[in-house]
Amino acid sequence: MTEVTTIQLFSLELPWAFNGTMDLEIVVKNRSLYGREDGFLRVDLYPRVRPMVHERHFGFWDIPLKIVHTERMSARLDLDKGTLKLRDGSQKDAWRTVQGLRIPFSEQGNVIIHFSHWDTGKGEPRMTEIRSYSILLAEESENKCLDSPLKQIHIPVTDTCNLTCSMCPRNNERYPAGASHMAEGVFEALLKEVPNVSCVMIMALGEPLLYPHTVDVVRRCRERLPVAGEVGITTNATLLNETMARDLIEAGLGFLYASVDGAAKATYERYRVGAGFAEICANIRRFTKLAREYTSACRTMMNFVMMDGNVDEIPAFVRLAAALGVENVTLSYEHGHHSDELNTFGEERLGSLLAEAAQIGADIGVNVGTPPVSRSPVERCFCTERVLTSPDGGVYPCPMLQPGYNPDGMVLRFGNVLERPLREIWESEPYQSFRREVLSGQFPKACANCGFKAFLTP
């Protein structure tokens, strides 16, 4: 099946899965771009896991606007040869190879394609607009054979928290009673698989910095990961004092994700009950400053959960991030809703806010990750190359199938790392069958009412 997504200036028509060679259609509806000497269209490919790290870039190819003269162009991308070829409309079966740069890297799994317009009329090339797509690189492109490798492990150091956020699944009736730190033996069991993945996320439904050994977890994961791998952490930033910040950076932290659901004190403190807005802003600002002083590769990101009472602060949130030295922000829907309930703000209203936020980000140097404002015509899920674990060692395929998240109370657990190795659980027939169904778009019953497969960010 070919998925079609169109925007005003340009778009791509792509298959969902490919095995390294892909036929695609380049659509340029804006005739003002035809034949221009001052720009190009760029096709970039990244693995979904850690898509911002250059060393893991598949490559990019530039299409000069001066050769664009029609609304549609057929193209063929061959990752093995490192070529992007355009069919020459003036000659039957003739192809033209466009300029590109292939980074020698090949890894199956979910891939992000960025398709962007660049203006070269004022000196240095400047990106003016971008469209992102998600596809799957697999050995076989037939639905019944689809699978993806394990690339990311979520390590749940604790389910305890120092806040009582109104939107947190911990505070609904479906969440199991009680909370605890990671059970003895769970980390050691997970650590055995760390050398085989690209990314480790230290997160759960608690605040990781409450766990007394979090810095050691970061250090030991960093020591075991491949050179190009990285370890990250999510935090509410309330405990991110100077000592903790220095310890995390020195331990080799690759990225820090701070949850900040408001751009103003009153809004933030209404949702993040128990936290102080001024305090967390100071903590994040100090962390970004220290990361620069250490010349650390550690990135800082902030996430904003969109809700009725804060959605109008989205543009101000981007400005806040810049003021705190944060270079990346993401805007996400609230967990625990069905597919048709995620965007409760209206497409026009939310679309306008997201467009304004993206423009502000482009102007002040903040990367803004925005979700779709409407349901995708084809539902997909990208949880198929990561595992989530609970403090007791349980293994789950995604957040929405962990206890507490699912609006229907659905829970799907494939085993426990204290009973079987994680790799054995990952390769078990029930787990493989689940991934094949998800990747084929024939979602299992457990995924029936998940809201995120229809509103996923590319």
Side-chain angles (χ1 to χ4, degrees), residues 1 3-5 374-379 454:
M1 178 183 295
E3 299 181 22
V4 181
T5 308
S374 59
R375 291 175 58 98
S376 169
V378 180
E379 295 184 331

Side-chain angles (χ1 to χ4, degrees), residues 175-362:
Y175 192 74
S180 63
H181 289 333
M182 186 164 51
E184 183 178 354
V186 171
F187 177 58
E188 297 299 332
L190 295 173
L191 193 61
K192 294 176 182 178
E193 193 59 35
V194 167
N196 302 318
V197 300
S198 305
C199 181
V200 171
M201 283 286 291
I202 299 173
M203 64 178 294
L205 278 178
E207 168 50 46
L209 299 187
L210 284 171
Y211 183 62
H213 309 298
T214 290
V215 172
D216 187 55
V217 170
V218 171
R219 181 179 295 107
R220 295 183 67 191
C221 287
R222 178 56 273 174
E223 291 171 351
R224 293 289 193 95
L225 278 164
V227 173
E230 65 181 356
V231 55
I233 192 169
T234 62
T235 176
N236 59 33
T238 57
L239 304 176
L240 192 62
N241 56 40
E242 182 171 351
T243 299
M244 178 61 72
R246 289 185 183 276
D247 288 348
L248 289 171
I249 294 169
E250 291 174 359
L253 190 70
F255 61 91
L256 180 139
Y257 232 132
S259 300
V260 183
D261 304 310
K265 173 181 169 64
T267 307
Y268 171 83
E269 294 180 1
R270 181 165 70 249
Y271 289 114
R272 294 276 163 181
V273 180
F277 183 67
E279 178 188 21
I280 65 101
C281 286
N283 288 348
I284 295 170
R285 181 184 288 110
R286 180 175 53 241
F287 184 89
T288 60
K289 182 174 182 290
L290 287 171
R292 291 191 296 271
E293 289 177 358
Y294 274 82
T295 62
S296 167
C298 183
R299 308 188 308 280
T300 311
M301 298 175 275
M302 283 168 40
N303 184 64
F304 182 99
V305 177
M306 300 180 296
M307 294 169 282
D308 288 335
N310 70 359
V311 67
D312 290 320
E313 293 184 9
I314 287 174
F317 177 73
V318 178
R319 295 190 181 94
L320 173 65
L324 301 181
V326 174
E327 60 267 32
N328 302 285
V329 302
T330 53
L331 307 167
S332 60
Y333 289 110
E334 187 177 359
H335 280 88
H337 293 290
H338 292 126
S339 296
D340 57 352
E341 298 173 349
L342 288 189
N343 182 1
T344 59
F345 320 108
E347 291 185 20
E348 183 176 353
R349 178 189 179 196
L350 183 58
S352 176
L353 288 166
L354 296 184
E356 182 181 354
Q359 184 59 58
I360 292 170

Side-chain angles (χ1 to χ4, degrees), residues 138 140-147 436:
E140 301 290 341
S141 57
E142 296 296 325
N143 282 348
K144 63 181 180 180
C145 302
L146 294 178
D147 201 356
R436 284 194 295 268

Side-chain angles (χ1 to χ4, degrees), residues 21-256:
T21 301
M22 170 173 53
D23 289 326
L24 61 147
E25 290 289 313
I26 297 170
V27 183
V28 183
K29 291 194 172 184
N30 190 312
R31 294 177 177 272
S32 68
L33 296 179
Y34 294 1
R36 296 180 68 103
E37 297 283 345
D38 59 352
F40 57 88
L41 300 174
R42 173 169 289 180
V43 178
D44 290 85
L45 272 75
Y46 296 84
R48 169 167 283 277
V49 174
R50 301 174 61 244
M52 299 179 64
V53 178
H54 180 75
E55 287 80 359
R56 296 177 58 78
H57 192 177
F58 281 113
F60 61 87
W61 294 265
D62 295 339
I63 305 168
L65 291 177
K66 64 183 179 182
I67 69 171
V68 178
H69 299 286
T70 60
E71 181 175 309
R72 303 180 70 89
M73 294 183 292
S74 297
R76 178 169 295 160
L77 177 65
D78 189 327
L79 286 183
D80 292 328
K81 296 179 180 178
T83 59
L84 176 66
K85 294 185 176 181
L86 304 178
R87 186 182 294 277
D88 189 335
S90 63
Q91 300 182 50
K92 185 177 180 180
D93 295 327
W95 294 82
R96 175 173 184 163
T97 302
V98 301
Q99 179 183 358
L101 173 64
R102 175 182 178 259
I103 287 82
F105 175 77
S106 178
E107 183 176 293
Q108 295 178 36
N110 290 300
V111 173
I112 296 176
I113 294 184
H114 295 313
F115 189 41
S116 53
H117 169 249
W118 293 71
D119 185 346
T120 59
K122 298 180 180 179
E124 289 294 320
R126 181 178 63 89
M127 186 176 69
T128 66
E129 192 163 356
I130 187 170
R131 183 65 179 170
S132 298
Y133 306 82
S134 293
I135 60 176
L136 181 72
L137 176 59
E139 286 186 0
E140 301 290 341
S141 57
E142 296 296 325
N143 282 348
K144 63 181 180 180
C145 302
L146 294 178
D147 201 356
S148 54
L150 175 58
K151 295 185 181 182
Q152 186 177 84
I153 298 173
H154 288 208
I155 296 182
V157 292
T158 187
D159 264 358
T160 62
C161 194
N162 57 340
L163 304 182
T164 53
C165 304
S166 60
M167 65 290 191
C168 180
R170 290 169 46 84
N171 298 319
N172 67 47
E173 68 279 3
R174 297 183 299 273
Y175 192 74
S180 63
H181 289 333
M182 186 164 51
E184 183 178 354
V186 171
F187 177 58
E188 297 299 332
L190 295 173
L191 193 61
K192 294 176 182 178
E193 193 59 35
V194 167
N196 302 318
V197 300
S198 305
C199 181
V200 171
M201 283 286 291
I202 299 173
M203 64 178 294
L205 278 178
E207 168 50 46
L209 299 187
L210 284 171
Y211 183 62
H213 309 298
T214 290
V215 172
D216 187 55
V217 170
V218 171
R219 181 179 295 107
R220 295 183 67 191
C221 287
R222 178 56 273 174
E223 291 171 351
R224 293 289 193 95
L225 278 164
V227 173
E230 65 181 356
V231 55
I233 192 169
T234 62
T235 176
N236 59 33
T238 57
L239 304 176
L240 192 62
N241 56 40
E242 182 171 351
T243 299
M244 178 61 72
R246 289 185 183 276
D247 288 348
L248 289 171
I249 294 169
E250 291 174 359
L253 190 70
F255 61 91
L256 180 139

Side-chain angles (χ1 to χ4, degrees), residues 430-443:
Y431 206 160
Q432 285 187 327
S433 177
F434 173 85
R435 293 196 300 273
R436 284 194 295 268
E437 290 182 65
V438 169
L439 289 169
S440 70
Q442 305 298 314
F443 287 91

Side-chain angles (χ1 to χ4, degrees), residues 380-392:
R380 296 295 182 192
C381 180
F382 313 121
C383 289
T384 52
E385 55 189 28
R386 66 179 181 180
V387 294
L388 287 81
T389 51
S390 53
D392 66 353

